[in-house]
Amino acid sequence: MTEQSARDEALLGPVEIRELAAQLDIRPTKQWGQNFVIDKGTVRKIVRLADVGADDVVIEVGPGLGSLTLALLPQVRHVHAIEIDRRLAEQLPLTVETMAPDVRDRLTVTQQDALTVTSLPDPQPTALVANLPYNVSVPVVLSFLQRFPSIQKVLVMVQLEVAERLAAVPGSKVYGVPSVKAAWYADVRLADKVGRNVFWPAPNVDSGLVSMVRRDPPRDDVPAAEVFACVDAAFAQRRKTLRAALAGWAGSPAAAEEALVAAGIDPTLRGERLSVHDFAALAAARTA
């Protein structure tokens, strides 16, 4: 058996996924955004693009039946798997014990809603790598970047439209709140596109892989919460000029204009033209 064949033997394919689901009486639900990856090549690609290695501690949100977990465990120091479905959370260690017993000690499973996770046992995470439930993908990414400053890199599979929004640049049609908030924490790019046939059940949309590499925030003299409040206000009424859209945030149109001018921003622009650096400068000017 070749090395590649041996690695494939320890991964889940379509037959194994369906057998496990039947055994657990699991019927993938839209409520929890459950679409299980059945393609071994896709999980290998995710691990490769995530650029994780022997020193990395990975958070995996929504591991499901374990397709990606089994691809991650041999490559990294530890995996914190966070699963909301009790049956899946209980089964995952058993699957790893059966298919990859030599790395079973590298896995910790937490049965919890990822959006409520505020701490994890040691070792602390250095990366977030996951096939995220579509309905909570953006808040999960942003909350983990905010709550776990030890996370240095992210590789997540999300709905393609969401992936494009996260990686969008100022002035593009899909640039918006997720784009700016993600850029506060990291350099973001669309790493690859993924078709529908790698999932069971197949979703109605294509997916995208988003890569993030953490960097320092644009400024350290204004908190993220202040900047994000400005961002939310600017995009709540996208068609309005910033002077009008930010009136409520600043206290009045005149106060909004004063802050915009102080930050060196044309008050007649719209929010989609501003970079995260512009929003940071604006929030700083408002609080000065």
Side-chain angles (χ1 to χ4, degrees):
M1 182 181 292
T2 66
E3 184 179 347
Q4 182 64 62
S5 298
R7 286 200 299 266
D8 279 356
E9 283 290 315
L11 297 177
L12 296 172
V15 173
E16 293 89 354
I17 289 287
R18 288 184 172 87
E19 285 178 350
L20 267 174
Q23 173 189 326
L24 297 172
D25 194 26
I26 292 285
R27 294 175 180 83
T29 69
K30 287 186 178 180
Q31 175 191 354
W32 289 342
Q34 290 174 326
N35 297 92
F36 301 127
V37 180
I38 58 174
D39 179 64
K40 298 178 182 181
T42 297
V43 293
R44 286 198 301 268
K45 177 194 289 186
I46 291 172
V47 175
R48 184 179 75 252
L49 292 176
D51 192 29
V52 287
D55 293 329
D56 280 302
V57 177
V58 174
I59 296 178
E60 185 190 0
V61 173
L65 291 165
S67 304
L68 179 56
T69 316
L70 287 165
L72 282 166
L73 283 170
Q75 307 300 323
V76 302
R77 177 183 169 197
H78 200 84
V79 173
H80 289 288
I82 301 170
E83 175 56 62
I84 193 172
D85 188 313
R86 178 185 55 79
R87 292 169 299 174
L88 293 173
E90 291 175 352
Q91 176 61 40
L92 186 57
L94 304 178
T95 301
V96 171
E97 174 71 40
T98 299
M99 301 196 68
D102 54 325
V103 292
R104 64 184 181 277
D105 292 339
R106 299 182 188 181
L107 175 67
T108 301
V109 180
T110 300
Q111 196 250 306
Q112 192 173 338
D113 181 343
L115 290 174
T116 68
V117 173
T118 57
S119 64
L120 287 169
D122 288 333
Q124 290 304 292
T126 63
L128 169 64
V129 184
N131 166 31
L132 288 177
Y134 285 168
N135 51 349
V136 294
S137 54
V138 171
V140 163
V141 169
L142 295 178
S143 66
F144 275 93
L145 284 169
Q146 186 257 318
R147 294 170 185 169
F148 296 94
S150 58
I151 293 177
Q152 296 301 307
K153 46 197 170 185
V154 174
L155 197 289
V156 290
M157 182 153 59
V158 297
Q159 184 175 336
L160 181 57
E161 180 183 346
V162 173
E164 290 172 339
R165 285 179 186 167
L166 283 167
V169 296
S172 68
K173 290 182 179 179
V174 295
Y175 183 72
V177 172
S179 324
V180 185
K181 292 183 178 180
W184 174 265
Y185 295 107
D187 292 316
V188 187
R189 67 182 179 87
L190 179 63
D192 207 348
K193 297 179 181 180
V194 180
R196 309 173 190 193
N197 61 345
V198 305
F199 296 98
W200 173 72
N204 296 323
V205 293
D206 291 330
S207 300
L209 295 172
V210 179
S211 171
M212 302 183 184
V213 178
R214 190 187 285 272
R215 54 168 171 69
D216 291 334
R219 297 179 71 123
D220 58 10
D221 59 344
V222 59
E226 294 285 346
V227 179
F228 290 0
C230 178
V231 172
D232 289 336
F235 285 99
Q237 305 175 79
R238 292 184 70 113
R239 296 189 177 184
K240 290 190 175 183
T241 65
L242 286 166
R243 184 183 190 276
L246 296 176
W249 167 77
S252 69
E257 181 166 349
E258 181 181 350
L260 285 157
V261 171
I265 299 167
D266 182 349
T268 66
L269 291 177
R270 292 179 173 82
E272 66 215 38
R273 310 301 303 185
L274 270 58
S275 69
V276 66
H277 298 274
D278 294 327
F279 278 110
L282 181 53
R286 178 70 185 94
T287 56

